[in-house]
């Protein structure tokens, strides 16, 4: 007989809640930093000239330097924001990044 396993709270779950709330509200910023080398990673929702369209801007770089990369993606209304947020936050944690309060 299979018994359901209780979901184990992962260390990145609080960041998942924060990022998915930002994506649902369509406004705000979520940032991570890696203390060992000062690298940072930032996700924000950016408004456009069109009222029905929002863009997610993802930036990353190093301490006291401009962003080394900027990626802009359309924020689709049909996205599973929780699953997308969980994937991003899990990878940030695996790469040594921690949320910036």
């Amino acid at each position: 007989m299979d018994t359901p396993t209780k979901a184990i709270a992962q260390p990145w779950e609080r960041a998942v809640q924060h990022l998915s709330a930002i994506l649902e509200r369509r406004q705000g910023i979520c940032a991570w930093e890696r203390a060992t080398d000062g690298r940072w990673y930032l996700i924000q929702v950016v408004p456009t000239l069109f009222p029905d369209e929002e863009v997610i801007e993802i930036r990353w770089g190093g301490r006291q330097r401009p962003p080394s990369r900027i990626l802009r993606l359309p924020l689709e209304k049909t996205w599973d924001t929780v699953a997308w947020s969980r994937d991003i936050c899990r990878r940030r944690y695996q790469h040594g990044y921690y949320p910036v309060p």
Side-chain angles (χ1 to χ4, degrees):
M1 182 168 141
D2 291 330
T3 57
T5 57
K6 188 175 182 178
I8 298 172
Q10 299 293 339
W12 57 81
E13 285 299 322
R14 183 170 287 152
V16 169
Q17 293 172 358
H18 178 66
L19 180 56
S20 62
I22 285 171
L23 296 176
E24 290 295 324
R25 285 191 322 257
R26 306 282 200 259
Q27 62 181 1
I29 295 174
C30 195
W32 294 265
E33 185 177 30
R34 188 165 55 196
T36 56
D37 60 1
R39 301 279 305 161
W40 53 269
Y41 191 89
L42 180 128
I43 296 177
Q44 66 182 359
V45 178
V46 180
T48 66
L49 295 174
F50 305 102
D52 295 349
E53 182 181 296
E54 287 95 9
V55 172
I56 298 172
E57 186 174 86
I58 304 170
R59 298 170 171 242
W60 56 95
R63 184 177 297 146
Q64 297 177 352
R65 290 190 306 222
S68 59
R69 183 103 192 248
I70 299 173
L71 179 64
R72 292 180 182 95
L73 304 169
L75 180 56
E76 301 291 335
K77 297 191 185 314
T78 58
W79 267 12
D80 182 355
T81 57
V82 174
W84 191 82
S85 299
R86 184 168 287 117
D87 185 48
I88 292 289
C89 294
R90 179 185 51 80
R91 281 189 282 147
R92 292 303 97 214
Y93 184 79
Q94 287 174 341
H95 289 235
Y97 290 82
Y98 290 94
V100 175

